[in-house]
PDB file of all heavy atoms in Angstrom:
ATOM      1  N   ALA D   1      90.235 101.223  89.164  1.00 98.00           N
ATOM      2  CA  ALA D   1      89.253 100.769  90.139  1.00 98.00           C
ATOM      3  C   ALA D   1      88.922 101.896  91.093  1.00 98.00           C
ATOM      4  O   ALA D   1      89.713 102.822  91.285  1.00 98.00           O
ATOM      5  CB  ALA D   1      89.775  99.555  90.922  1.00 98.00           C
ATOM      6  N   ALA D   2      87.752 101.815  91.715  1.00 98.00           N
ATOM      7  CA  ALA D   2      87.348 102.796  92.715  1.00 98.00           C
ATOM      8  C   ALA D   2      86.487 102.121  93.770  1.00 98.00           C
ATOM      9  O   ALA D   2      85.884 101.074  93.525  1.00 98.00           O
ATOM     10  CB  ALA D   2      86.590 103.960  92.071  1.00 98.00           C
ATOM     11  N   ILE D   3      86.410 102.752  94.936  1.00 96.00           N
ATOM     12  CA  ILE D   3      85.670 102.198  96.057  1.00 96.00           C
ATOM     13  C   ILE D   3      84.966 103.318  96.801  1.00 96.00           C
ATOM     14  O   ILE D   3      85.498 104.417  96.950  1.00 96.00           O
ATOM     15  CB  ILE D   3      86.616 101.390  96.979  1.00 96.00           C
ATOM     16  CG1 ILE D   3      85.831 100.635  98.050  1.00 96.00           C
ATOM     17  CG2 ILE D   3      87.672 102.302  97.603  1.00 96.00           C
ATOM     18  CD1 ILE D   3      86.677  99.580  98.769  1.00 96.00           C
ATOM     19  N   SER D   4      83.764 103.027  97.280  1.00 92.00           N
ATOM     20  CA  SER D   4      82.940 104.013  97.952  1.00 92.00           C
ATOM     21  C   SER D   4      83.403 104.263  99.381  1.00 92.00           C
ATOM     22  O   SER D   4      84.321 103.623  99.890  1.00 92.00           O
ATOM     23  CB  SER D   4      81.483 103.555  97.954  1.00 92.00           C
ATOM     24  OG  SER D   4      81.336 102.359  98.699  1.00 92.00           O
ATOM     25  N   TRP D   5      82.734 105.200 100.049  1.00 80.00           N
ATOM     26  CA  TRP D   5      83.050 105.561 101.434  1.00 80.00           C
ATOM     27  C   TRP D   5      83.153 104.342 102.341  1.00 80.00           C
ATOM     28  O   TRP D   5      84.133 104.178 103.077  1.00 80.00           O
ATOM     29  CB  TRP D   5      81.955 106.462 102.010  1.00 80.00           C
ATOM     30  CG  TRP D   5      81.885 107.844 101.472  1.00 80.00           C
ATOM     31  CD1 TRP D   5      82.652 108.410 100.501  1.00 80.00           C
ATOM     32  CD2 TRP D   5      80.971 108.846 101.901  1.00 80.00           C
ATOM     33  NE1 TRP D   5      82.270 109.705 100.294  1.00 80.00           N
ATOM     34  CE2 TRP D   5      81.237 109.998 101.148  1.00 80.00           C
ATOM     35  CE3 TRP D   5      79.947 108.875 102.857  1.00 80.00           C
ATOM     36  CZ2 TRP D   5      80.515 111.178 101.315  1.00 80.00           C
ATOM     37  CZ3 TRP D   5      79.227 110.049 103.023  1.00 80.00           C
ATOM     38  CH2 TRP D   5      79.514 111.183 102.257  1.00 80.00           C
ATOM     39  N   SER D   6      82.124 103.524 102.310  1.00 81.00           N
ATOM     40  CA  SER D   6      82.029 102.407 103.242  1.00 81.00           C
ATOM     41  C   SER D   6      82.780 101.176 102.773  1.00 81.00           C
ATOM     42  O   SER D   6      82.975 100.245 103.555  1.00 81.00           O
ATOM     43  CB  SER D   6      80.564 102.039 103.455  1.00 81.00           C
ATOM     44  OG  SER D   6      79.995 101.530 102.264  1.00 81.00           O
ATOM     45  N   GLY D   7      83.172 101.163 101.523  1.00 83.00           N
ATOM     46  CA  GLY D   7      83.761  99.972 100.953  1.00 83.00           C
ATOM     47  C   GLY D   7      82.737  98.998 100.414  1.00 83.00           C
ATOM     48  O   GLY D   7      83.109  97.940  99.894  1.00 83.00           O
ATOM     49  N   GLY D   8      81.465  99.355 100.511  1.00 87.00           N
ATOM     50  CA  GLY D   8      80.417  98.469 100.073  1.00 87.00           C
ATOM     51  C   GLY D   8      80.196  98.440  98.576  1.00 87.00           C
ATOM     52  O   GLY D   8      79.552  97.516  98.072  1.00 87.00           O
ATOM     53  N   SER D   9      80.702  99.437  97.884  1.00 95.00           N
ATOM     54  CA  SER D   9      80.552  99.509  96.438  1.00 95.00           C
ATOM     55  C   SER D   9      81.914  99.659  95.791  1.00 95.00           C
ATOM     56  O   SER D   9      82.728 100.466  96.236  1.00 95.00           O
ATOM     57  CB  SER D   9      79.660 100.686  96.041  1.00 95.00           C
ATOM     58  OG  SER D   9      78.345 100.523  96.530  1.00 95.00           O
ATOM     59  N   THR D  10      82.140  98.887  94.754  1.00 97.00           N
ATOM     60  CA  THR D  10      83.376  98.977  93.985  1.00 97.00           C
ATOM     61  C   THR D  10      83.057  98.988  92.507  1.00 97.00           C
ATOM     62  O   THR D  10      81.988  98.550  92.078  1.00 97.00           O
ATOM     63  CB  THR D  10      84.323  97.809  94.294  1.00 97.00           C
ATOM     64  OG1 THR D  10      83.658  96.572  94.012  1.00 97.00           O
ATOM     65  CG2 THR D  10      84.747  97.824  95.759  1.00 97.00           C
ATOM     66  N   TYR D  11      84.002  99.474  91.740  1.00 98.00           N
ATOM     67  CA  TYR D  11      83.844  99.515  90.297  1.00 98.00           C
ATOM     68  C   TYR D  11      85.205  99.318  89.661  1.00 98.00           C
ATOM     69  O   TYR D  11      86.196  99.886  90.119  1.00 98.00           O
ATOM     70  CB  TYR D  11      83.231 100.844  89.855  1.00 98.00           C
ATOM     71  CG  TYR D  11      82.848 100.884  88.398  1.00 98.00           C
ATOM     72  CD1 TYR D  11      81.699 100.244  87.944  1.00 98.00           C
ATOM     73  CD2 TYR D  11      83.636 101.557  87.467  1.00 98.00           C
ATOM     74  CE1 TYR D  11      81.348 100.273  86.613  1.00 98.00           C
ATOM     75  CE2 TYR D  11      83.288 101.591  86.132  1.00 98.00           C
ATOM     76  CZ  TYR D  11      82.137 100.946  85.711  1.00 98.00           C
ATOM     77  OH  TYR D  11      81.784 100.982  84.386  1.00 98.00           O
ATOM     78  N   TYR D  12      85.248  98.520  88.585  1.00 98.00           N
ATOM     79  CA  TYR D  12      86.499  98.167  87.949  1.00 98.00           C
ATOM     80  C   TYR D  12      86.454  98.407  86.454  1.00 98.00           C
ATOM     81  O   TYR D  12      85.408  98.245  85.814  1.00 98.00           O
ATOM     82  CB  TYR D  12      86.827  96.689  88.182  1.00 98.00           C
ATOM     83  CG  TYR D  12      87.002  96.312  89.628  1.00 98.00           C
ATOM     84  CD1 TYR D  12      85.928  95.866  90.384  1.00 98.00           C
ATOM     85  CD2 TYR D  12      88.255  96.399  90.239  1.00 98.00           C
ATOM     86  CE1 TYR D  12      86.092  95.517  91.714  1.00 98.00           C
ATOM     87  CE2 TYR D  12      88.422  96.049  91.564  1.00 98.00           C
ATOM     88  CZ  TYR D  12      87.342  95.612  92.296  1.00 98.00           C
ATOM     89  OH  TYR D  12      87.509  95.265  93.617  1.00 98.00           O
ATOM     90  N   ALA D  13      87.599  98.767  85.909  1.00 98.00           N
ATOM     91  CA  ALA D  13      87.733  98.786  84.467  1.00 98.00           C
ATOM     92  C   ALA D  13      87.615  97.367  83.929  1.00 98.00           C
ATOM     93  O   ALA D  13      88.014  96.401  84.587  1.00 98.00           O
ATOM     94  CB  ALA D  13      89.080  99.392  84.063  1.00 98.00           C
ATOM     95  N   ASP D  14      87.069  97.246  82.735  1.00 98.00           N
ATOM     96  CA  ASP D  14      86.909  95.922  82.143  1.00 98.00           C
ATOM     97  C   ASP D  14      88.240  95.182  82.022  1.00 98.00           C
ATOM     98  O   ASP D  14      88.287  93.953  82.131  1.00 98.00           O
ATOM     99  CB  ASP D  14      86.260  96.036  80.767  1.00 98.00           C
ATOM    100  CG  ASP D  14      84.797  96.423  80.833  1.00 98.00           C
ATOM    101  OD1 ASP D  14      84.181  96.264  81.909  1.00 98.00           O
ATOM    102  OD2 ASP D  14      84.262  96.874  79.803  1.00 98.00           O
ATOM    103  N   SER D  15      89.309  95.919  81.815  1.00 98.00           N
ATOM    104  CA  SER D  15      90.606  95.307  81.602  1.00 98.00           C
ATOM    105  C   SER D  15      91.159  94.608  82.844  1.00 98.00           C
ATOM    106  O   SER D  15      92.048  93.764  82.724  1.00 98.00           O
ATOM    107  CB  SER D  15      91.610  96.354  81.116  1.00 98.00           C
ATOM    108  OG  SER D  15      91.741  97.405  82.060  1.00 98.00           O
ATOM    109  N   VAL D  16      90.644  94.959  84.024  1.00 98.00           N
ATOM    110  CA  VAL D  16      91.163  94.374  85.257  1.00 98.00           C
ATOM    111  C   VAL D  16      90.111  93.606  86.044  1.00 98.00           C
ATOM    112  O   VAL D  16      90.454  92.938  87.027  1.00 98.00           O
ATOM    113  CB  VAL D  16      91.799  95.445  86.164  1.00 98.00           C
ATOM    114  CG1 VAL D  16      92.851  96.237  85.403  1.00 98.00           C
ATOM    115  CG2 VAL D  16      90.735  96.379  86.738  1.00 98.00           C
ATOM    116  N   LYS D  17      88.874  93.682  85.637  1.00 98.00           N
ATOM    117  CA  LYS D  17      87.795  93.026  86.363  1.00 98.00           C
ATOM    118  C   LYS D  17      88.052  91.528  86.463  1.00 98.00           C
ATOM    119  O   LYS D  17      88.367  90.870  85.472  1.00 98.00           O
ATOM    120  CB  LYS D  17      86.455  93.287  85.677  1.00 98.00           C
ATOM    121  CG  LYS D  17      85.252  92.824  86.476  1.00 98.00           C
ATOM    122  CD  LYS D  17      83.958  93.223  85.798  1.00 98.00           C
ATOM    123  CE  LYS D  17      82.738  92.789  86.595  1.00 98.00           C
ATOM    124  NZ  LYS D  17      82.693  93.465  87.920  1.00 98.00           N
ATOM    125  N   GLY D  18      87.918  91.003  87.669  1.00 98.00           N
ATOM    126  CA  GLY D  18      88.177  89.603  87.919  1.00 98.00           C
ATOM    127  C   GLY D  18      89.607  89.309  88.323  1.00 98.00           C
ATOM    128  O   GLY D  18      89.879  88.216  88.829  1.00 98.00           O
ATOM    129  N   ARG D  19      90.505  90.243  88.102  1.00 98.00           N
ATOM    130  CA  ARG D  19      91.908  90.065  88.462  1.00 98.00           C
ATOM    131  C   ARG D  19      92.344  90.960  89.620  1.00 98.00           C
ATOM    132  O   ARG D  19      93.169  90.559  90.436  1.00 98.00           O
ATOM    133  CB  ARG D  19      92.814  90.341  87.262  1.00 98.00           C
ATOM    134  CG  ARG D  19      92.566  89.435  86.071  1.00 98.00           C
ATOM    135  CD  ARG D  19      93.623  89.632  84.990  1.00 98.00           C
ATOM    136  NE  ARG D  19      93.595  90.988  84.440  1.00 98.00           N
ATOM    137  CZ  ARG D  19      94.641  91.814  84.438  1.00 98.00           C
ATOM    138  NH1 ARG D  19      95.791  91.434  84.966  1.00 98.00           N
ATOM    139  NH2 ARG D  19      94.539  93.019  83.894  1.00 98.00           N
ATOM    140  N   PHE D  20      91.795  92.171  89.675  1.00 98.00           N
ATOM    141  CA  PHE D  20      92.178  93.141  90.696  1.00 98.00           C
ATOM    142  C   PHE D  20      91.057  93.297  91.712  1.00 98.00           C
ATOM    143  O   PHE D  20      89.871  93.164  91.386  1.00 98.00           O
ATOM    144  CB  PHE D  20      92.463  94.504  90.076  1.00 98.00           C
ATOM    145  CG  PHE D  20      93.686  94.574  89.200  1.00 98.00           C
ATOM    146  CD1 PHE D  20      94.403  93.443  88.864  1.00 98.00           C
ATOM    147  CD2 PHE D  20      94.105  95.801  88.722  1.00 98.00           C
ATOM    148  CE1 PHE D  20      95.524  93.518  88.057  1.00 98.00           C
ATOM    149  CE2 PHE D  20      95.231  95.892  87.918  1.00 98.00           C
ATOM    150  CZ  PHE D  20      95.945  94.758  87.577  1.00 98.00           C
ATOM    151  N   THR D  21      91.435  93.619  92.936  1.00 98.00           N
ATOM    152  CA  THR D  21      90.472  93.884  93.995  1.00 98.00           C
ATOM    153  C   THR D  21      90.882  95.139  94.749  1.00 98.00           C
ATOM    154  O   THR D  21      92.002  95.220  95.254  1.00 98.00           O
ATOM    155  CB  THR D  21      90.369  92.705  94.974  1.00 98.00           C
ATOM    156  OG1 THR D  21      89.999  91.517  94.279  1.00 98.00           O
ATOM    157  CG2 THR D  21      89.310  93.000  96.043  1.00 98.00           C
ATOM    158  N   ILE D  22      89.974  96.096  94.828  1.00 98.00           N
ATOM    159  CA  ILE D  22      90.215  97.300  95.608  1.00 98.00           C
ATOM    160  C   ILE D  22      89.516  97.158  96.956  1.00 98.00           C
ATOM    161  O   ILE D  22      88.415  96.613  97.046  1.00 98.00           O
ATOM    162  CB  ILE D  22      89.734  98.562  94.864  1.00 98.00           C
ATOM    163  CG1 ILE D  22      90.176  99.826  95.603  1.00 98.00           C
ATOM    164  CG2 ILE D  22      88.230  98.544  94.640  1.00 98.00           C
ATOM    165  CD1 ILE D  22      89.932 101.108  94.811  1.00 98.00           C
ATOM    166  N   SER D  23      90.165  97.630  98.003  1.00 96.00           N
ATOM    167  CA  SER D  23      89.587  97.592  99.336  1.00 96.00           C
ATOM    168  C   SER D  23      90.088  98.789 100.123  1.00 96.00           C
ATOM    169  O   SER D  23      91.031  99.464  99.711  1.00 96.00           O
ATOM    170  CB  SER D  23      89.929  96.280 100.055  1.00 96.00           C
ATOM    171  OG  SER D  23      91.327  96.143 100.211  1.00 96.00           O
ATOM    172  N   ARG D  24      89.450  99.052 101.249  1.00 92.00           N
ATOM    173  CA  ARG D  24      89.890 100.160 102.083  1.00 92.00           C
ATOM    174  C   ARG D  24      89.713  99.822 103.547  1.00 92.00           C
ATOM    175  O   ARG D  24      88.827  99.056 103.933  1.00 92.00           O
ATOM    176  CB  ARG D  24      89.142 101.454 101.733  1.00 92.00           C
ATOM    177  CG  ARG D  24      87.666 101.459 102.083  1.00 92.00           C
ATOM    178  CD  ARG D  24      86.958 102.670 101.458  1.00 92.00           C
ATOM    179  NE  ARG D  24      87.476 103.931 101.958  1.00 92.00           N
ATOM    180  CZ  ARG D  24      87.270 105.113 101.377  1.00 92.00           C
ATOM    181  NH1 ARG D  24      86.560 105.179 100.250  1.00 92.00           N
ATOM    182  NH2 ARG D  24      87.775 106.212 101.914  1.00 92.00           N
ATOM    183  N   ASP D  25      90.564 100.408 104.354  1.00 91.00           N
ATOM    184  CA  ASP D  25      90.496 100.281 105.796  1.00 91.00           C
ATOM    185  C   ASP D  25      90.466 101.698 106.339  1.00 91.00           C
ATOM    186  O   ASP D  25      91.503 102.351 106.463  1.00 91.00           O
ATOM    187  CB  ASP D  25      91.688  99.498 106.334  1.00 91.00           C
ATOM    188  CG  ASP D  25      91.579  99.220 107.818  1.00 91.00           C
ATOM    189  OD1 ASP D  25      90.837  99.927 108.522  1.00 91.00           O
ATOM    190  OD2 ASP D  25      92.254  98.284 108.290  1.00 91.00           O
ATOM    191  N   ASN D  26      89.281 102.184 106.640  1.00 85.00           N
ATOM    192  CA  ASN D  26      89.143 103.571 107.058  1.00 85.00           C
ATOM    193  C   ASN D  26      89.809 103.845 108.401  1.00 85.00           C
ATOM    194  O   ASN D  26      90.259 104.965 108.656  1.00 85.00           O
ATOM    195  CB  ASN D  26      87.667 103.957 107.109  1.00 85.00           C
ATOM    196  CG  ASN D  26      87.052 104.066 105.734  1.00 85.00           C
ATOM    197  OD1 ASN D  26      87.753 104.202 104.733  1.00 85.00           O
ATOM    198  ND2 ASN D  26      85.726 104.013 105.670  1.00 85.00           N
ATOM    199  N   ALA D  27      89.867 102.842 109.254  1.00 87.00           N
ATOM    200  CA  ALA D  27      90.543 103.013 110.534  1.00 87.00           C
ATOM    201  C   ALA D  27      92.027 103.278 110.345  1.00 87.00           C
ATOM    202  O   ALA D  27      92.653 103.938 111.177  1.00 87.00           O
ATOM    203  CB  ALA D  27      90.326 101.794 111.416  1.00 87.00           C
ATOM    204  N   LYS D  28      92.589 102.752 109.271  1.00 90.00           N
ATOM    205  CA  LYS D  28      94.000 102.951 108.966  1.00 90.00           C
ATOM    206  C   LYS D  28      94.237 104.013 107.908  1.00 90.00           C
ATOM    207  O   LYS D  28      95.383 104.260 107.521  1.00 90.00           O
ATOM    208  CB  LYS D  28      94.636 101.636 108.512  1.00 90.00           C
ATOM    209  CG  LYS D  28      94.651 100.549 109.568  1.00 90.00           C
ATOM    210  CD  LYS D  28      95.325  99.295 109.041  1.00 90.00           C
ATOM    211  CE  LYS D  28      95.394  98.217 110.102  1.00 90.00           C
ATOM    212  NZ  LYS D  28      96.051  96.986 109.600  1.00 90.00           N
ATOM    213  N   ASN D  29      93.171 104.628 107.417  1.00 89.00           N
ATOM    214  CA  ASN D  29      93.275 105.625 106.351  1.00 89.00           C
ATOM    215  C   ASN D  29      94.055 105.086 105.157  1.00 89.00           C
ATOM    216  O   ASN D  29      94.922 105.767 104.599  1.00 89.00           O
ATOM    217  CB  ASN D  29      93.932 106.907 106.864  1.00 89.00           C
ATOM    218  CG  ASN D  29      93.024 107.709 107.770  1.00 89.00           C
ATOM    219  OD1 ASN D  29      91.842 107.409 107.933  1.00 89.00           O
ATOM    220  ND2 ASN D  29      93.579 108.756 108.370  1.00 89.00           N
ATOM    221  N   THR D  30      93.738 103.874 104.768  1.00 93.00           N
ATOM    222  CA  THR D  30      94.506 103.199 103.742  1.00 93.00           C
ATOM    223  C   THR D  30      93.585 102.525 102.734  1.00 93.00           C
ATOM    224  O   THR D  30      92.573 101.932 103.109  1.00 93.00           O
ATOM    225  CB  THR D  30      95.447 102.150 104.346  1.00 93.00           C
ATOM    226  OG1 THR D  30      96.326 102.789 105.280  1.00 93.00           O
ATOM    227  CG2 THR D  30      96.288 101.477 103.275  1.00 93.00           C
ATOM    228  N   VAL D  31      93.952 102.613 101.471  1.00 95.00           N
ATOM    229  CA  VAL D  31      93.265 101.904 100.409  1.00 95.00           C
ATOM    230  C   VAL D  31      94.264 100.967  99.744  1.00 95.00           C
ATOM    231  O   VAL D  31      95.452 101.283  99.651  1.00 95.00           O
ATOM    232  CB  VAL D  31      92.632 102.880  99.391  1.00 95.00           C
ATOM    233  CG1 VAL D  31      93.692 103.719  98.698  1.00 95.00           C
ATOM    234  CG2 VAL D  31      91.786 102.125  98.380  1.00 95.00           C
TER     235      VAL D  31
END
């Protein structure tokens, strides 16, 4: 999975789509 700068765009491998969620908190420098 991957996530854009703002967190507004994400992309997932077909094998995990619907099961995994990627997110980020830029204030915490954490994904």
Side-chain angles (χ1 to χ4, degrees):
I3 188 167
S4 64
W5 289 2
S6 66
S9 296
T10 58
Y11 189 77
Y12 299 91
D14 289 341
S15 59
V16 306
K17 189 175 181 63
R19 300 188 297 123
F20 292 7
T21 302
I22 188 171
S23 61
R24 68 191 298 164
D25 186 339
N26 289 341
K28 296 181 178 180
N29 287 352
T30 302
V31 63

